Amino acid sequence: MMRARKDSEDHADTASPSANDYISAAPRVGVQAFCETEETAAAVRAAGEDRRLSKTRLSVHMGGVVAAVKAYSTAPTPNVIMLETHGSDDVLAGLDQLATVCDPGTRVVLIGRPNDTAPYRELVRRGVNDYVVGPVTTLDVVRSICSLFSASEAVAVGRIIAVVGAKGGVGASTVAHNVAWAIARDLALDSVVIDLDLAFGTASLDYNKDPMQGVANAVFSPERPDTAFIERLLAKCTDHLSLLAAPATLDRVYDFGEEAFDTIFDTLRMTTPCIVLDIPHQWSGWTRRALLGADDILIVAEPDLANMRNTKNLLQLLKASRPNDRTPLYCLNQVGMPKRPEISARAFAKTVETQPIASIPFNPRMFGTANNNGQMIAEISARHRIAGTFLRIAERMTGHAETRPRRSLLSPIIEKLRVSGRSRTKLSEIRKV
């Protein structure tokens, strides 16, 4: 059994994961849990339904350490063993027995009680990789299993942000590309934009790039794409931003299975802190899987009836399918279009039961100029409030709090008074000399 770190954080309420409570997905490993109580067994079973453990083979058994020792005396051990113990049990003796039947490389997670008397140092000495104080929640189990690999393998796992339109033509791609630009430029996070609209994608036009290769080369590759292969397909947009472009050609039909893009996403996660998925407005097995597998989701909608209905349907599905993740977010785009009847942001939010994180005004001149020039809004006017809106969305999606000082309306006046005061002080000093 391998030794690993002990989490320094205390047992906290994890019912409402935040943007900073980021948990990377576990690899394809076998996990077997031996529980003492039905409550813990239920939490582990529920964890097996979480998207971050979708690749694991998780099974739940009762009986604790005694049952585990008996089971592994005649069978090989999995990658991960979870054991629940009671404070009255002789935990150390049970672990000593388990060590005699445990294969090298197996990782052990111990679920204990606040009154456990065994020192943590002794637990680590016997090969325990993680210790969780019960009673545990579903998210406690997910975090414990996933952290075994993200920490012990010392691999940087990227965060996937999926952007999708509630309806076709709402500008979801434009929002995705500008948000990715803000993440790379203003937050200085190395990022990759993946244009998944293979037939009609516009990312290469928006970033003014004409790459010869892109995401199609990876998804149609006869061999499993590795990091070096993916790196060769990326088009560099800025120092921190790269693009995996869509071919935007109609010379073939782009029909995919549900898992078609899994390898590409997993490979990029290994090297890139932030991956932004520009998901086309279609409903298929692979688009649904891409949304459910993302770490954070942004829905882009216009303020009309069809968008409101679709946004509500998407939010309901995603919340039900991802109960342990942060609630998907949405923004309103092209707000205030002249002569178009619109649903107010307040009425929209009341229907979908959550507030938009931003409202982007209708500005055809600015967005049209940016599209025709292959530029982002921040490149045309860095101080424009729309550019600021994209930055706030980027901060919200990545969980990065804004560190720049906010300027009030009185800031220019105060600054002038300070300058004037310094000038008068300096003038008086000169006069004294």
Side-chain angles (χ1 to χ4, degrees), residues 177-315:
H177 304 161
N178 278 275
V179 169
W181 181 274
I183 292 172
R185 191 195 69 164
D186 298 303
L187 305 183
L189 284 176
D190 288 334
S191 306
V192 169
V193 175
I194 305 181
D195 191 346
L196 294 174
D197 190 351
L198 273 72
F200 304 104
T202 60
S204 58
L205 297 176
D206 287 351
Y207 290 121
N208 197 22
K209 297 293 176 182
D210 189 18
M212 299 299 295
Q213 302 180 100
V215 65
N217 299 86
V219 75
F220 289 117
S221 173
E223 300 179 359
R224 181 184 177 90
D226 58 13
T227 300
F229 179 71
I230 296 294
E231 288 289 337
R232 290 197 298 269
L233 302 180
L234 294 176
K236 194 172 184 63
C237 300
T238 68
D239 290 340
H240 292 289
L241 182 64
S242 298
L243 169 66
L244 197 56
T249 59
L250 304 179
D251 56 350
R252 67 195 309 172
V253 176
Y254 302 105
D255 292 331
F256 304 110
E258 285 191 11
E259 302 179 2
F261 294 92
D262 285 6
T263 302
I264 300 173
F265 299 159
D266 292 343
T267 302
L268 277 171
R269 277 183 186 271
M270 304 290 285
T271 58
T272 309
C274 185
I275 301 107
V276 178
L277 305 183
D278 180 5
I279 298 181
H281 181 73
Q282 65 180 69
W283 197 242
S284 60
W286 71 265
T287 54
R288 185 179 188 274
R289 185 177 178 86
L291 281 174
L292 296 182
D295 299 296
D296 286 288
I297 302 168
L298 176 66
I299 302 169
V300 181
E302 289 186 3
D304 62 29
L305 185 61
N307 277 273
M308 185 170 67
R309 178 202 63 186
N310 294 352
T311 300
K312 183 174 183 178
N313 290 343
L314 278 170
L315 289 173

Side-chain angles (χ1 to χ4, degrees), residues 388-409:
T389 299
F390 286 131
L391 175 56
R392 288 192 296 274
I393 295 174
E395 291 171 336
R396 185 76 178 272
M397 299 304 297
T398 58
H400 282 64
E402 188 176 4
T403 58
R404 293 173 288 103
R406 296 182 182 273
R407 292 176 62 86
S408 68
L409 294 176

Side-chain angles (χ1 to χ4, degrees), residues 339-421:
K339 300 183 180 180
R340 180 182 70 174
E342 294 182 351
I343 297 174
S344 68
R346 182 176 180 180
F348 200 105
K350 182 177 180 180
T351 299
V352 303
E353 299 178 347
T354 184
Q355 294 290 331
I357 64 170
S359 291
I360 304 170
F362 178 69
N363 193 326
R365 180 181 295 277
M366 175 163 286
F367 282 99
T369 301
N371 290 338
N372 290 336
N373 294 345
Q375 292 179 301
M376 298 293 103
I377 297 299
E379 291 182 282
I380 294 177
S381 179
R383 296 180 177 273
H384 198 280
R385 66 189 183 99
I386 295 179
T389 299
F390 286 131
L391 175 56
R392 288 192 296 274
I393 295 174
E395 291 171 336
R396 185 76 178 272
M397 299 304 297
T398 58
H400 282 64
E402 188 176 4
T403 58
R404 293 173 288 103
R406 296 182 182 273
R407 292 176 62 86
S408 68
L409 294 176
L410 298 177
S411 295
I413 299 174
I414 295 173
E415 185 63 27
K416 288 182 179 179
L417 291 174
R418 287 176 179 172
V419 172
S420 177

Side-chain angles (χ1 to χ4, degrees), residues 110-129:
L110 196 64
I111 301 173
R113 288 291 183 268
N115 59 346
D116 282 348
T117 58
Y120 181 76
R121 180 177 297 177
E122 292 298 322
L123 297 178
V124 172
R125 188 172 295 169
R126 283 163 171 78
V128 172
N129 298 80

Side-chain angles (χ1 to χ4, degrees), residues 76-149:
T77 53
N79 304 98
V80 179
I81 301 174
M82 301 195 75
L83 300 171
E84 183 183 16
T85 67
H86 285 295
S88 57
D89 295 338
D90 190 346
V91 178
L92 299 181
L95 290 173
D96 288 338
Q97 289 182 331
L98 182 64
T100 63
V101 296
C102 198
D103 299 332
T106 297
R107 309 178 191 197
V108 176
V109 175
L110 196 64
I111 301 173
R113 288 291 183 268
N115 59 346
D116 282 348
T117 58
Y120 181 76
R121 180 177 297 177
E122 292 298 322
L123 297 178
V124 172
R125 188 172 295 169
R126 283 163 171 78
V128 172
N129 298 80
D130 194 14
Y131 181 82
V132 184
V133 179
V136 294
T137 65
T138 298
L139 200 57
D140 290 330
V141 178
V142 174
R143 180 187 290 108
S144 180
I145 295 174
C146 293
S147 65
L148 290 177
F149 299 92

Side-chain angles (χ1 to χ4, degrees), residues 8-29:
S8 59
E9 62 186 13
D10 295 327
H11 182 70
D13 181 15
T14 55
S16 301
S18 66
N20 295 320
D21 189 20
Y22 174 59
I23 306 172
S24 59
R28 299 182 188 278
V29 294

